């Protein structure tokens, strides 16, 4: 592996290379984004199936 | 359904090519790694072309983002996923030129992790929007 480049690429304060820690940190945030959307979609779909559509149309 | 299934195959194959790029750079073979990274970018491009074809067909049939709950989430989530594919392709292109010059080899592994994640997201989206079809 090349040791040139920004200091963050070859310095490790946690025992995990900083670059790798960074990418996992990014992916953790992505899991929340996609996970949140999937959860919302699943929940709303179930609610529609259980008659929320009818309930909302009366409001 | 067919386009989604083909796209699943394309993305899984692209994950294989990014693994081969990582394996090549671990052995110090820069040219081979460069080649496999560009194969991955190519697979990403095929994915986007099929996605565009699929979107066009759906819009022509009157299914737009404002149609109903299903189509709102379909376009939002597959669109967001496609943006991640585009982002990954751009970053991979930048990394490929870096490694050809002989530096930042560790980034092949990092973009590989990201690409596997993008693939994994699709593995969730495919059954949700193409198979289950609430």
């Amino acid at each position: 592996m090349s040791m040139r480049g920004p200091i963050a690429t070859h310095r490790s304060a946690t025992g995990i290379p900083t670059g790798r820690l960074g990418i996992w940190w990014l992916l953790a945030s992505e899991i929340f984004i996609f996970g949140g959307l999937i959860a919302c979609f699943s929940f709303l779909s179930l609610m529609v199936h259980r008659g929320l559509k009818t309930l909302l149309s009366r409001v | 359904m067919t386009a989604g299934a083909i796209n699943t195959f394309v993305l899984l194959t692209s994950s294989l090519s990014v693994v081969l790029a990582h394996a090549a750079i671990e052995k110090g073979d820069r040219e081979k790694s460069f080649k496999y990274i560009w194969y991955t970018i190519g697979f990403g491009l095929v994915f986007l072309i099929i996605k565009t074809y699929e979107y066009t067909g759906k819009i022509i049939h009157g299914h737009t983002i404002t149609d109903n709950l299903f189509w709102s989430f379909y376009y939002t989530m597959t669109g967001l996923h496609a943006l991640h594919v585009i982002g990954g392709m751009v970053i991979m292109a930048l990394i490929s030129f870096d490694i050809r010059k002989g530096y930042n080899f560790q980034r092949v592994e990092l973009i590989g992790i990201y690409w596997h994640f993008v693939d994994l997201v699709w593995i969730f989206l495919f059954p949700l929007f193409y198979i289950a079809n609430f």
Side-chain angles (χ1 to χ4, degrees):
Chain A
M1 294 287 163
S2 171
M3 293 301 283
R4 283 192 285 166
I7 193 168
T9 59
H10 52 83
R11 188 182 66 177
S12 175
T14 56
I16 304 167
T18 314
R20 194 181 298 164
L21 187 66
I23 199 81
W24 281 110
W25 195 252
L26 171 81
L27 295 188
S29 71
E30 299 277 11
I31 287 167
F32 278 97
I33 295 168
F34 283 103
L37 282 166
I38 289 171
C40 279
F41 175 63
S42 305
F43 176 76
L44 288 171
S45 297
L46 282 173
M47 287 298 105
V48 166
H49 276 277
R50 287 182 183 178
L52 183 73
K53 206 172 177 179
T54 322
L55 192 71
L56 286 174
S57 66
R58 289 178 191 162
V59 177
Chain B
M1 173 75 178
T2 313
I6 295 168
N7 262 347
T8 305
F9 177 75
V10 169
L11 266 194
L12 288 174
T13 314
S14 75
S15 267
L16 170 69
S17 63
V18 85
V19 166
L20 291 173
H22 182 221
I25 206 68
E26 285 287 332
K27 289 175 190 161
D29 193 340
R30 288 187 283 161
E31 283 306 313
K32 204 171 180 181
S33 183
F34 179 85
K35 186 180 77 179
Y36 280 123
I37 287 178
W38 277 92
Y39 282 170
T40 313
I41 295 170
F43 284 122
L45 196 65
V46 171
F47 175 86
L48 291 174
I49 290 167
I50 295 171
K51 192 97 246 157
T52 309
Y53 168 78
E54 199 189 325
Y55 272 9
T56 309
K58 297 223 174 359
I59 292 167
I60 285 171
H61 285 95
H63 301 301
T64 59
I65 195 165
T66 53
D67 204 8
N68 58 31
L69 180 79
F70 177 84
W71 293 110
S72 295
F73 274 91
Y74 170 84
Y75 283 109
T76 304
M77 295 188 71
T78 57
L80 194 61
H81 177 263
L83 285 177
H84 281 77
V85 171
I86 295 168
M89 285 163 66
V90 171
I91 295 165
M92 260 189 273
L94 297 173
I95 288 172
S96 75
F97 294 116
D98 267 7
I99 61 162
R100 204 175 209 185
K101 287 175 196 161
Y103 54 87
N104 290 330
F105 291 172
Q106 78 285 350
R107 288 182 182 172
V108 179
E109 183 192 354
L110 303 182
I111 193 66
I113 295 171
Y114 173 83
W115 197 256
H116 290 317
F117 172 78
V118 171
D119 200 353
L120 186 69
V121 169
W122 180 256
I123 296 302
F124 280 94
L125 296 186
F126 178 62
L128 198 65
F129 292 117
Y130 294 83
I131 298 173
N133 215 338
F134 284 91

